[in-house]
Amino acid sequence: MGEADRRAVGAPVRKKDAMALLLGKPVYTEDVTPADCLVVKVLRSPHANALIESVDPAAALRTPGVAAVYTWRDVPQKRFTQAGQTWPEASPYDRLILDRHVRYVGDAVAIVAAETEEAARQALKRIKVKYQVLPAVLDPHEALDGPVLVHPEEDWKALCPVGADNRRNLCASGSDADGDVEKVLADCDVVVEHTYNTQACNQAMMETFRAYTELDAYGRLHVVASTQIVFHVRRILANALDIPKSKIHVEKPRIGGGFGAKQTVVAEVYPAFVTWKTGRPARMIYSRQESLIASSPRHPMEVRVRLGASKEGTIRALDVYTLSDTGAYGEHGPTTVGLSGHKSIPLYTGNLEAFRFAWNVVYTNHQSAGAYRGYGATQGIFAVESAVNELAERLGMDPVALRLKNIVRQGQAMPAYYGETATACTLDKCLTRCAQRFGWEEKYPVRDMGDGRVRAAGVAIAMQGSGISGVDVGSATLKLGDDGCYNLTIGAADMGTGCDTILAQIAADCLDCEVDNIAVFGADTDASPYDSGSYASSTTYVTGKAVEKACARLKERICALAAEMLDCAPEEVEFAGRAVRRLDGGGEVSLADIAGRSMCGSAPALQITCSHSSPTSPPPFMAGMVEVEVDTRTGGVKVLDYTAVVDCGTPINPNLARVQTEGGLVQGIGMALFETITYSDTGRLAENSFMQYKIPTRLDMGKLDVTFEPSYEPSGPFGAKSIGEIVINTPSPAIAHAVYRATGVWHRSLPITPEKVLLGRRGKTDG
């Protein structure tokens, strides 16, 4: 199909669920599941590291309305991971549903199931627990090979060779290199060497974790959950409950945001266990406090960068070491860390002679970390981009010109990105266009606005990926209905991103019909074809290609049946949208008639299922520039203007791509300036509500200017790459750069709070 024939791809089609959401229709887990069920709540540990010496639920069980109380003695003694990833899981099997050994403040101690919310709350207060408090390890440096073991148990195990060793508090470790880094660094005119720290950020999605469970008419566990990963939920629950996967059916309704948080099975296991034990329907809805203290936030990382360059600004070597804090459990620990180097170093492939990337992921007695949009690339890009900006300042070069001299270009191989080639890359155009739209030449010079206010600008670039190469699978089932319309069934989860709409647009163009003629259903483990799920920026690129394949095969089958009806050979007909016609003009037959014929006798079913997995993960690219105003009297940093230019291949839906970009930018601004996690010396988390955990509001984001610099990725559907994650990666380094320009102080630890800005100006800290 030629460019001029397209009607859906590239059009700002309205989201399929837009009106239902706008009108407040019942679409979410709590809306569509019965309220007449057991209320499930969890008693949580007040200690960062402790053994339960005794737990007495007797008083709780006497509470009117309490149906059951479960402790560590009642659950299967089979370890599992809650990380939703393709099997074999990279994350260690280090959890029990309830464990006698609790490992962070907020860890599960007991499960209560009651008829009412109030009865459950009262029961939690009446459970008597005696703890043997153990020393806690809260510093990742002390955790590595330290005396306090977070996981001393003998049945801890790692399924994959990720360099894990629980006797060293190691969740994962490893290294990658190309060339002689030390030799090249020794020959460089300038070496920038600094350590950068990023904090644990919470995804803060509006819909908290929640799940409803029941036994269906066949005695199977039916789970309705707000999740990104229905098939992984099924496997994880089977592991946790020690029951066959065939006994579990998982589906998801609309999701009120996920951002990676719901790539981890945070809530589902508790009501599932209650239902399996009692036979009764159950539901658990996390409070906002629980979602902040006992969930799956971003991994805190310390990233050390050594960058070597010539005095002319040629970047010759990059050496990156990442220390990641996975917290009490290993969810996503082995997989997030790799992105901190593999998706920051390749940005400077242009002249790079050598690179080295090494990492350690350690257990501590902090809240367990998980998946969050950007998935490790965000942390690594903050460090590497900050180092590049420091290099520009040291050399007295314009940081845009420095990047244009060194960045990866289309057609270049990227040794630090698994040896892949940049088959579609307009990063240079993104930078140039961003500078033009932003007004870089006018805004880059520092401007004193009077009254203690200083304005300055900063810049950063980023890359991400499009699914996990050679691992993730996307699938689509496409069926022609008897009215001539189509049903598209997917296993990917639309979590507000609009993937149902985007996949329908791809199908509509392939089938030469309107988007409204494509009805989308998913995700459901009983009805949907297998799909790894919605994470790793995979849905448009991977599942979209499966949709494209399914459309091509279905058209072949439709044409074959139509040819039989038209009494000619299949090669003598052509697919024409609402009909199939003979090439010689000798007649046509409508889609509705073809569908009707397929339902009679032994005609072939007009239904196709296709899967797709890509051997590569073509990266999207992005340039971002920010203007800030720093109040030197208060230390306050205000974002005035943020310009972003994104290369996501072909934008399938420009409106949804723009909203994705704007949302990611705001989350990145929050990470840079507001969002922080602080622990007491006993491991208690301070930010347990939105009163303490500050996220940006509309007043904090300034003016956002988003546009696209398309490339064409030949392996993607209609030339598309991903966009979901890359958009969060540039704000932190760009804002840190702008704050340096305004104050003369580099802030290498996030967030850049007013206190840090003031102390930095007084020479007491560099952030």
Side-chain angles (χ1 to χ4, degrees):
M1 186 179 294
E3 190 78 28
D5 298 320
R6 293 186 188 170
R7 292 184 293 176
V9 169
V13 175
R14 187 176 73 186
K15 283 177 64 178
K16 281 187 166 288
D17 58 357
M19 291 308 294
L21 298 176
L22 186 65
L23 297 174
K25 299 293 185 182
V27 296
Y28 298 108
T29 300
E30 192 173 5
D31 302 327
V32 301
T33 56
D36 183 18
C37 62
L38 291 174
V39 175
V40 177
K41 290 194 175 297
V42 168
L43 178 68
R44 301 191 178 279
S45 169
H47 305 294
N49 196 19
L51 288 175
I52 298 171
E53 291 189 343
S54 65
V55 54
D56 183 1
L61 286 166
R62 290 194 295 269
T63 304
V66 171
V69 178
Y70 300 105
T71 71
W72 66 272
R73 297 181 185 275
D74 303 308
V75 303
Q77 298 300 300
K78 181 183 177 184
R79 297 202 177 269
F80 64 98
T81 177
Q82 291 184 164
Q85 296 176 299
T86 301
W87 191 90
E89 296 122 306
S91 300
Y93 276 25
D94 54 14
R95 275 189 182 268
L96 297 174
I97 298 173
L98 297 171
D99 201 331
R100 187 187 173 203
H101 187 171
V102 288
R103 295 172 170 83
Y104 72 97
V105 176
D107 208 351
V109 173
I111 304 169
V112 168
E115 307 293 344
T116 65
E117 188 99 7
E118 182 57 29
R121 284 201 188 98
Q122 290 301 320
L124 288 178
K125 297 175 183 177
R126 294 172 181 174
I127 299 172
K128 297 177 181 177
V129 186
K130 184 178 180 182
Y131 298 95
Q132 178 191 345
V133 180
L134 304 173
V137 57
L138 301 173
D139 185 327
H141 297 91
E142 296 175 6
L144 184 59
D145 294 321
V148 176
L149 291 182
V150 179
H151 284 278
E153 63 271 16
E154 294 296 327
D155 56 350
W156 175 98
K157 64 178 179 180
L159 275 67
C160 294
V162 294
D165 185 347
N166 62 320
R167 295 293 165 178
R168 300 182 59 201
N169 280 330
L170 264 182
C171 178
S173 62
S175 62
D176 186 21
D178 183 66
D180 190 332
V181 167
E182 295 298 338
K183 181 179 178 181
V184 177
L185 284 172
D187 190 50
C188 287
D189 299 320
V190 181
V191 175
V192 174
E193 180 174 356
H194 289 294
T195 299
Y196 303 85
N197 286 276
T198 61
Q199 74 279 30
C201 295
N202 199 285
Q203 297 88 347
M205 61 281 170
M206 290 299 98
E207 184 195 31
T208 60
F209 302 97
R210 54 198 59 201
Y212 168 85
T213 56
E214 64 184 3
L215 294 182
D216 67 15
Y218 302 97
R220 299 172 73 219
L221 182 66
H222 177 212
V223 181
V224 182
S226 183
T227 180
Q228 303 169 214
I229 45 160
V230 292
F231 287 96
H232 296 329
V233 170
R234 182 178 64 181
R235 181 187 67 248
I236 291 165
L237 290 181
N239 287 341
L241 300 174
D242 200 14
I243 62 176
K245 298 181 187 70
S246 60
K247 293 285 188 181
I248 303 174
H249 167 207
V250 182
E251 63 174 304
K252 68 98 195 161
R254 292 290 96 185
I255 302 174
F259 310 115
K262 294 169 184 174
Q263 194 192 337
T264 302
V265 176
V266 172
E268 292 90 334
V269 67
Y270 303 113
F273 179 73
V274 167
T275 293
W276 196 249
K277 293 286 281 188
T278 66
R280 295 185 57 184
R283 186 164 68 184
M284 185 174 194
I285 297 175
Y286 265 45
S287 66
R288 180 58 61 185
Q289 182 183 37
E290 285 179 300
S291 285
L292 288 168
I293 69 164
S295 58
S296 55
R298 188 183 296 285
H299 286 75
M301 291 186 187
E302 180 180 280
V303 184
R304 187 185 71 228
V305 179
R306 291 199 299 163
L307 182 156
S310 71
K311 59 180 180 295
E312 293 80 22
T314 299
I315 297 175
R316 301 177 57 197
L318 268 167
D319 183 20
V320 174
Y321 168 72
T322 301
L323 178 64
S324 177
D325 181 355
T326 195
Y329 299 97
E331 278 88 29
H332 302 278
T335 45
T336 51
V337 70
L339 278 66
S340 66
H342 289 137
K343 293 185 180 174
S344 58
I345 299 170
L347 284 164
Y348 296 96
T349 296
N351 303 298
L352 205 64
E353 298 171 37
F355 83 87
R356 180 169 57 203
F357 171 42
W359 61 91
N360 285 314
V361 183
V362 296
Y363 286 113
T364 65
N365 292 115
H366 289 145
Q367 176 184 189
S368 177
Y372 184 3
R373 188 182 207 168
Y375 203 77
T378 314
Q379 296 95 309
I381 286 171
F382 167 64
V384 170
E385 283 301 280
S386 293
V388 171
N389 283 328
E390 295 197 41
L391 173 66
E393 293 293 334
R394 191 179 298 186
L395 294 175
M397 285 185 68
D398 184 295
V400 175
L402 176 66
R403 284 175 170 82
L404 288 171
K405 185 181 180 73
N406 291 285
I407 56 175
V408 61
R409 306 279 176 141
Q410 184 159 310
Q412 284 189 316
M414 299 174 284
Y417 189 57
Y418 318 108
E420 290 192 24
T421 298
T423 50
C425 174
T426 58
L427 180 56
D428 54 339
K429 295 178 181 177
C430 288
L431 255 176
T432 302
R433 191 172 178 192
C434 193
Q436 292 169 347
R437 292 179 70 94
F438 179 74
W440 178 256
E441 291 187 3
E442 297 79 36
K443 292 178 179 176
Y444 182 56
V446 178
R447 287 144 289 145
D448 190 334
M449 309 304 293
D451 203 23
R453 293 174 296 116
V454 179
R455 291 187 180 181
V459 61
I461 59 174
M463 62 180 281
Q464 195 74 39
S466 300
I468 304 174
S469 58
V471 174
D472 282 348
V473 175
S475 300
T477 297
L478 194 63
K479 176 174 67 176
L480 178 64
D482 55 5
D483 59 352
C485 292
Y486 301 92
N487 294 91
L488 175 62
T489 303
I490 58 174
D494 191 330
M495 49 185 160
T497 53
C499 81
D500 287 1
T501 307
I502 288 166
L503 296 175
Q505 288 178 255
I506 292 170
D509 267 15
C510 290
L511 297 167
D512 195 19
C513 69
E514 301 297 326
V515 173
D516 287 345
N517 287 357
I518 311 289
V520 184
F521 171 80
D524 184 308
T525 57
D526 275 10
S528 300
Y530 176 79
D531 192 292
S532 300
S534 295
Y535 60 89
S537 302
S538 64
T539 306
T540 297
Y541 176 73
V542 180
T543 307
K545 198 67 177 180
V547 170
E548 195 176 69
K549 286 181 176 179
C551 290
R553 288 184 56 192
L554 183 61
K555 284 198 294 185
E556 289 177 3
R557 190 168 289 186
I558 289 170
C559 286
L561 183 55
E564 183 181 310
M565 296 169 69
L566 291 167
D567 195 25
C568 64
E571 57 268 20
E572 294 179 70
V573 301
E574 66 174 354
F575 185 85
R578 300 297 296 170
V580 174
R581 65 170 70 101
R582 288 183 61 140
L583 290 170
D584 62 6
E588 69 175 34
V589 59
S590 71
L591 272 187
D593 287 343
I594 297 169
R597 174 69 184 88
S598 75
M599 298 172 188
C600 300
S602 59
L606 297 181
Q607 177 172 314
I608 289 291
T609 296
C610 283
S611 296
H612 179 69
S613 181
S614 176
T616 61
S617 178
F621 297 94
M622 176 182 178
M625 294 179 181
V626 66
E627 180 185 23
V628 304
E629 183 174 274
V630 178
D631 189 328
T632 57
R633 300 162 303 175
T634 66
V637 179
K638 183 178 182 181
V639 174
L640 302 177
D641 184 14
Y642 205 105
T643 299
V645 181
V646 185
D647 164 20
C648 59
T650 300
I652 301 294
N653 187 316
N655 277 7
L656 295 182
R658 180 168 288 104
V659 170
Q660 283 270 308
T661 307
E662 291 173 350
L665 291 176
V666 174
Q667 286 180 312
I669 290 168
M671 177 178 176
L673 295 177
F674 308 113
E675 300 176 39
T676 191
I677 295 289
T678 54
Y679 284 91
S680 71
D681 56 7
T682 58
R684 185 173 296 275
L685 183 61
E687 292 77 16
N688 61 4
S689 81
F690 282 155
M691 294 296 290
Q692 291 83 27
Y693 188 84
K694 300 295 186 180
I695 59 175
T697 70
R698 182 64 188 87
L699 300 176
D700 299 310
M701 63 182 71
K703 175 190 171 188
L704 303 181
D705 175 28
V706 173
T707 193
F708 302 95
E709 189 61 51
S711 61
Y712 187 89
E713 172 49 52
S715 65
F718 293 95
K721 298 187 289 187
S722 76
I723 194 170
E725 294 183 275
I726 185 172
V727 291
I728 199 172
N729 292 337
T730 59
S732 290
I735 289 171
H737 184 204
V739 171
Y740 164 78
R741 296 281 298 167
T743 65
V745 178
W746 287 110
H747 290 271
R748 303 185 184 99
S749 178
L750 299 178
I752 305 170
T753 60
E755 294 84 352
K756 289 182 181 178
V757 173
L758 283 179
L759 288 171
R761 281 177 53 78
R762 293 172 185 171
K764 294 184 178 180
T765 178
D766 67 352

